[in-house]
Amino acid sequence: MHLFGGVWSPSCASYALKRTFLDNRDVCPDNVVDAQRNFYVDDLLISMQSADEGIRLAEQLQHITSLGGFRLTKWVNNSKEVLESIHESGRHKEVKEIDIEGKPLPAERALGGRWDLEKDQMPVVIKLFEQGGSVTRRDLLRVISSVYDPLGFLAPFIIHAKVIFQEECRRKKGWDEAISDSNEVQW
């Protein structure tokens, strides 16, 4: 018996979920096997080509996980068709009682970020800290470290900031000294 709520619970839940897929692989379609690789602790983030594929995958996932004693809940989707196919009790509270026909879908949290369901976008807010003088190495690190991007969507942009930071580290300047003029322009 395992009591959930301890610091080890996410790893136990992940193990139990993966074990369910493994134990039921003989009845598990290929697309469900692929989907199980897209669970992040207890969140599933996956993209499908059509609402029909999404509905079929949701049904298959619910069936396979039920064989392991799981009941998938808090379903959120940017397709109103997919949401309608999921019983109201299984939907996330923000879309549980929504008038799917008339009301726009809300923004939800997904993997530590916001997901605008209606626009199917994950907006990112980066706070550039205002300071009175020049930009310092400390300022660079503060901004770079404040970006939470578990899926790496922002990596092509953040890498430029990290290169600037790396160049300033190689110059062996202090944390509160101004960065070079050329790097400040790039920043």
Side-chain angles (χ1 to χ4, degrees):
M1 183 170 150
H2 172 75
L3 298 176
F4 284 87
V7 294
W8 57 86
S9 292
S11 64
C12 291
S14 292
Y15 171 79
L17 185 64
K18 288 184 186 297
R19 187 65 200 209
T20 297
F21 283 100
L22 184 64
D23 290 347
N24 297 292
R25 66 181 168 263
D26 54 326
V27 294
C28 208
D30 289 341
N31 64 332
V32 175
V33 172
D34 291 339
Q36 71 97 19
R37 293 185 193 116
N38 290 287
F39 274 94
Y40 302 89
V41 184
D42 61 350
D43 286 344
L44 170 66
L45 191 62
I46 192 166
S47 180
M48 303 303 292
Q49 293 294 321
S50 69
D52 289 337
E53 284 182 43
I55 291 167
R56 196 168 31 262
L57 180 64
E59 289 169 353
Q60 291 168 339
L61 283 169
Q62 290 177 59
H63 173 69
I64 296 297
T65 55
S66 73
L67 296 175
F70 287 95
R71 182 173 171 264
L72 296 179
T73 60
K74 299 183 182 176
W75 285 85
V76 174
N77 197 288
N78 66 323
S79 167
K80 292 179 181 181
E81 275 183 79
V82 175
L83 279 177
E84 286 176 332
S85 75
I86 296 166
H87 191 271
E88 199 173 288
S89 65
R91 295 184 206 155
H92 190 277
K93 65 181 178 181
E94 297 295 324
V95 294
K96 194 173 276 195
E97 297 173 6
I98 193 168
D99 172 18
I100 293 180
E101 293 302 317
K103 200 172 176 188
L105 294 170
E108 283 298 321
R109 295 199 62 73
L111 301 175
R114 300 289 295 162
W115 178 24
D116 183 331
L117 296 172
E118 194 66 34
K119 296 177 184 172
D120 195 18
Q121 296 175 344
M122 294 187 83
V124 177
V125 177
I126 298 175
K127 295 179 183 174
L128 295 177
F129 303 96
E130 297 293 326
Q131 71 269 351
S134 300
V135 177
T136 66
R137 250 178 50 192
R138 186 180 310 275
D139 296 326
L140 296 177
L141 186 60
R142 185 180 327 143
V143 172
I144 293 167
S145 299
S146 72
V147 176
Y148 180 70
D149 183 29
L151 297 176
F153 291 146
L154 301 176
F157 305 101
I158 297 301
I159 194 73
H160 296 295
K162 289 181 177 183
V163 167
I164 292 171
F165 180 74
Q166 188 177 44
E167 287 175 9
E168 291 301 319
C169 288
R170 285 188 182 127
R171 292 189 170 130
K172 299 186 183 200
K173 289 186 174 183
W175 282 102
D176 296 312
E177 289 182 55
I179 64 173
S180 69
D181 291 339
S182 63
N183 277 340
E184 189 163 3
V185 168
Q186 285 186 33
W187 180 254

